[in-house]
Amino acid sequence: MPSHNPLVAVYPGSFDPITNGHLDLIQRCAPLVDKLVVSVLRNAHKHPLFTLEERVAMLRSVASPFPNVEVDCFDGLLVDYARQKQAKLLLRGIRAISDYEYELQMALMNRRLAPEIETMFMMAGEAYSFISSKLVKEVIGLGGNISGLVPPSVEEKLKQRFLGRE
Ligand code: PNS
């Protein structure tokens, strides 16, 4: 049987919180690689709604059906982290053309820093292409319905946070 190095992909992001768009990407990428590491940026500059620990816990619970998905966090340069994880791929999702410019800049910078690592883009499923963590927080904060936009466990956490509901 031919042996090969396991193909590891890192899917980095803020995940504040994970949406059904992120989950769709995880679901579609996991079967293509040996291991998918979903990793939350520990970002001191942003003011996230959920702590790093909360975001990791939500991701772990949502990713638990996928045996080859690991949830982790990182700081510093993404490419340094990817090298530590022996990852050859960085996974990012693209929803619309508006995502493209920022993603292109990051992909080219990362390629310059680590030419051996490829960025792989997957198109968000069309049902999810309008969803972002930012808009989900805005909608629930203003009393709108977010069901179907995030996994049910995440919806509960958001309701607790915004509406003080169990
Ligand atoms: O979900 P986000 O906030 O769009 O994710 C952005 C993320 C985490 C992918 C990006 O900010 C990142 O990779 N940060 C790590 C720092 C780094 O490596 N910067 C240089 C790469 S361009």
Side-chain angles (χ1 to χ4, degrees), residues 12-15 22 39-41 43 46 74-79 92 102-103 105-107 109-110 113:
S14 304
F15 302 105
H22 297 125
S39 200
V40 185
L41 175 68
N43 191 342
K46 280 193 188 174
F74 77 103
D75 50 19
L77 276 181
L78 174 61
V79 290
R92 293 287 289 172
Y102 171 57
E103 294 299 333
Q105 267 186 347
M106 282 204 299
M109 182 60 80
N110 285 331
L113 295 168

Side-chain angles (χ1 to χ4, degrees), residues 72-85:
D72 192 23
C73 55
F74 77 103
D75 50 19
L77 276 181
L78 174 61
V79 290
D80 288 343
Y81 171 76
R83 279 177 174 147
Q84 266 172 40
K85 289 281 170 187

